[in-house]
Every structure is written in C-alpha cells, then in structure tokens.
C-alpha cells in the first residue's frame, strides 16, 4: 500500500466520503483531491494524514509509511487484553499465510519467470507474513513473559 492508496482508503472509510473528510479537515473537496492526487504541486500534510487516520480509526497511514520504509506496521497490544486462544489463532493465521505464499510461488514460477504483478503479489504476501510474525511474537511475550523484563536487543 502506498500513501495515495492509504489516503483513498481512509477517505472511503469515513462516513460521507470525500465531502465529509474535506469538511472535517477544514478544506474543500477540490483542495483535498488536489492534495491526495498531488496536483498543482500540492500534497497531503503529515498532520492531515494523521487526522484522517484518527477520524477513521484505521492504521492505513502508519501501514503505508512502514511499507515505504521497508517494514511493516504492528499495532501494540494492550496489556491483559490477550489470551492463549489469541496466540493459537495467530499461529493458524501464520500457517495460512505461509500456505498462500507457497501456492503463489508455485503458480508464479510455473513459467520460470516472475512478472511485475506477480512480484508485487509475492511482496504483499511476504509483508503480511512479517506483520503476522511480529504480532505473534508480541502476543507470545505478552502472555508468557514477565512484564518487568527489559527488552533484549537482537543483532
């Protein structure tokens, strides 16, 4: 997901769509459209992106920034809000995503070539696996680690 897709997704998720989001941000629909589509040298300001994210209770802007930075966004877990069933479900989700990657790899390499669309799809699946793995680890630590432990840096 890129920034434009994140902005469009947040606008689509907002009740009333473009007109309502523009009003909430204190601008006209045309002004918002010019910023989202980067017309006339305009762009959506970070503050407006954060406001749109807050208005829609999504993490789309954060996810787009993470992807643009070569990473994935993982929302922090509220202490005490998870249990072992959540951890089990996350393991199942990871297995399902790995299966999706395996199926896509098999299909996309059948002709001994991965085209641009196939590469983008494999990258999307990989990003989802990375996000799922980080969420799984966060759940595991939340459930099984003492909460007074200092984080350990990895090399």
């Amino acid at each position: 997901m890129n920034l434009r897709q994140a902005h469009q997704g947040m606008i689509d998720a907002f009740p009333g769509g473009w007109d309502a989001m523009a009003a909430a941000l204190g601008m006209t629909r045309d002004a918002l459209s010019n910023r989202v589509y980067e017309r006339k040298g305009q762009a959506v300001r970070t503050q407006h992106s954060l406001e749109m994210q807050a208005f829609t209770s999504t993490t789309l802007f954060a996810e787009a920034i993470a992807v643009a930075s070569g990473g994935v966004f993982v929302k922090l877990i509220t202490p005490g809000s998870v249990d072992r069933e959540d951890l089990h479900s996350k393991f199942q989700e990871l297995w399902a995503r790995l299966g999706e990657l395996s199926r896509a790899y098999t299909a996309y390499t059948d002709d001994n070539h991965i085209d641009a669309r196939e590469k983008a799809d494999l990258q999307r699946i990989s990003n989802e696996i990375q996000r799922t793995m980080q969420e799984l680890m966060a759940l595991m630590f939340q459930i099984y680690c003492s909460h007074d432990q200092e984080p350990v840096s990895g090399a």
Side-chain angles (χ1 to χ4, degrees):
M1 168 185 314
N2 63 36
L3 286 172
R4 180 176 297 155
Q5 292 167 327
H7 291 129
Q8 290 169 328
M10 290 184 291
I11 292 166
D12 291 342
F14 195 63
W18 284 86
D19 291 324
M21 181 63 79
L25 294 171
M27 61 180 76
T28 66
R29 180 186 175 129
D30 285 343
L32 177 59
S33 180
N34 286 339
R35 286 166 176 78
V36 169
Y37 294 106
E38 298 180 354
R39 294 184 201 123
K40 302 178 184 179
Q42 298 182 50
V44 179
R45 296 181 58 205
T46 302
Q47 184 59 40
H48 286 146
S49 296
L50 291 170
E51 289 173 1
M52 289 172 27
Q53 183 171 261
F55 293 157
T56 59
S57 300
T58 67
T59 58
L60 295 174
F61 178 63
E63 291 173 37
I65 292 296
V67 168
S69 302
V72 295
F73 174 76
V74 179
K75 193 170 182 174
L76 296 176
I77 296 170
T78 305
S81 66
V82 296
D83 59 23
R84 290 182 176 122
E85 184 60 36
D86 295 319
L87 181 59
H88 176 74
S89 294
K90 194 55 68 175
F91 266 112
Q92 295 304 313
E93 182 181 338
L94 179 60
W95 281 112
R97 293 200 188 284
L98 287 170
E100 180 184 4
L101 179 63
S102 178
R103 285 187 298 278
Y105 164 79
T106 300
Y108 295 162
T109 58
D110 191 42
D111 62 357
N112 290 319
H113 176 72
I114 295 174
D115 65 28
R117 183 194 57 80
E118 293 166 341
K119 180 179 178 182
D121 193 40
L122 289 167
Q123 189 62 58
R124 177 193 58 79
I125 297 167
S126 172
N127 288 344
E128 290 172 359
I129 289 170
Q130 291 175 45
R131 180 181 304 110
T132 302
M133 187 67 203
Q134 290 304 310
E135 290 169 349
L136 184 143
M137 297 305 293
L139 283 168
M140 188 183 310
F141 296 153
Q142 179 67 34
I143 293 168
Y144 291 106
C145 290
S146 170
H147 298 293
D148 59 348
Q149 289 180 346
E150 289 292 319
V152 178
S153 301

